[in-house]
Amino acid sequence: MQLRLAVIVPKGTDDTLEQKRFRKLIVKQKERLEEINNREPKEMSHNPFDMRNAIRDFLEQNGIRRFGVTRHIPDKMYRNSHLPTNLDRLIVFVVPMKYEEMVDVPSQRSATEILRAYWQTGEIVVKLSEFLMENGYRVQGHHPLGDINDYHHILFPPHAVAAGLGEKGRTGLFIDHHYGPMVRIGAVSTDAPLEYDEEVDKGINAFCHRCRYCAKFCPPKAISNVKFTQILEEGNRIDFKINGERCIKYFEKHFACGKCLFKCVLTQPNVEEVQKRIRRIETWYDRWVKNGPPEEWKEAFAQVS
């Protein structure tokens, strides 16, 4: 489904001059990225032990505050992926979208913001790939909208989860632990010797079991409002799935939609409010789900489910 969503051109996303400009810029990004991915790196100039801090500083200079490092997940790769085996690190980062541009989603304005976010994410992928090459490391930059032939190697959301940046929500999409769900994900594979990050469980996946707010506002009713109590009682994460056919049909005809992103209770006008809500979820999760005695857990969970 992610591949289909990436390659179609929904109605209302290639109409205005601004939309057309972003699409042209994205094509140029893909061309540039293909050239970088096929280039030999320069001689190493950084001490490998300093590379993570160097990457952090570089991303911060380009406005990126959230990144992590993970392995490639074999069952979260596209079938014909041909990534070199020596590129065993995946740097994942997130780019927040603009709340004020998404208030009337789905609309031409929100569709333009989605394209702008893809363009910005693509810019960082290109710049980070060049930065790593300049410092002597091989790369495979992954544009969020695929390569020049619209081919994808990896599924972005599960790798962002594995890199410790967030969790999978009821929408089936990624929810960042800092910005909430309204983000775009970028990634670069590399052989730079970076330590792997671990998944971080703040209870958002479990909270999505009880919330179901996004399902209420999904125009094509593609998001399930089913509860998953047994999975949570067994201590497992919920692998939320949506009705892909319903989603895509609406997505194609209505400005690339995005209604579920904006209507999530963790989408707020400012980061401070997002953080406050995430802290509340984490407190509930630690007290009543993760650490509470079974009898207390069941009683408490029955009250909030």
Side-chain angles (χ1 to χ4, degrees), residues 130-187:
E130 286 186 317
F131 175 76
L132 290 164
M133 290 285 288
E134 289 292 315
N135 283 281
Y137 299 106
R138 299 183 186 281
V139 300
Q140 176 84 44
H142 306 282
H143 196 284
L145 287 177
D147 64 17
I148 195 65
N149 299 310
D150 292 323
Y151 180 79
H152 291 249
H153 290 278
I154 67 170
L155 286 164
F156 288 87
H159 285 90
V161 172
L165 297 176
E167 298 169 51
K168 185 176 183 178
R170 181 173 284 272
T171 59
L173 301 175
F174 171 75
I175 299 179
D176 183 71
H177 283 152
H178 187 79
Y179 297 114
M182 215 159 64
V183 297
R184 294 297 165 189
I185 305 170

Side-chain angles (χ1 to χ4, degrees), residues 228-243:
F228 301 87
T229 305
Q230 183 176 347
I231 294 174
L232 291 172
E233 286 180 342
E234 293 169 352
N236 296 319
R237 300 277 188 95
I238 303 169
D239 186 18
F240 291 109
K241 299 184 186 302
I242 68 169
N243 186 316

Side-chain angles (χ1 to χ4, degrees), residues 90-157:
L90 184 71
I91 303 170
V92 188
F93 63 88
V94 296
V95 173
M97 299 171 67
K98 296 179 180 178
Y99 179 93
E100 63 275 11
E101 298 299 319
M102 297 290 289
V103 292
D104 54 355
V105 61
S107 66
Q108 201 157 62
R109 180 166 68 152
S110 64
T112 303
E113 170 57 14
I114 290 169
L115 280 173
R116 185 208 64 79
Y118 275 127
W119 164 79
Q120 183 184 356
T121 307
E123 280 292 285
I124 304 301
V125 171
V126 170
K127 289 179 179 180
L128 179 58
S129 298
E130 286 186 317
F131 175 76
L132 290 164
M133 290 285 288
E134 289 292 315
N135 283 281
Y137 299 106
R138 299 183 186 281
V139 300
Q140 176 84 44
H142 306 282
H143 196 284
L145 287 177
D147 64 17
I148 195 65
N149 299 310
D150 292 323
Y151 180 79
H152 291 249
H153 290 278
I154 67 170
L155 286 164
F156 288 87

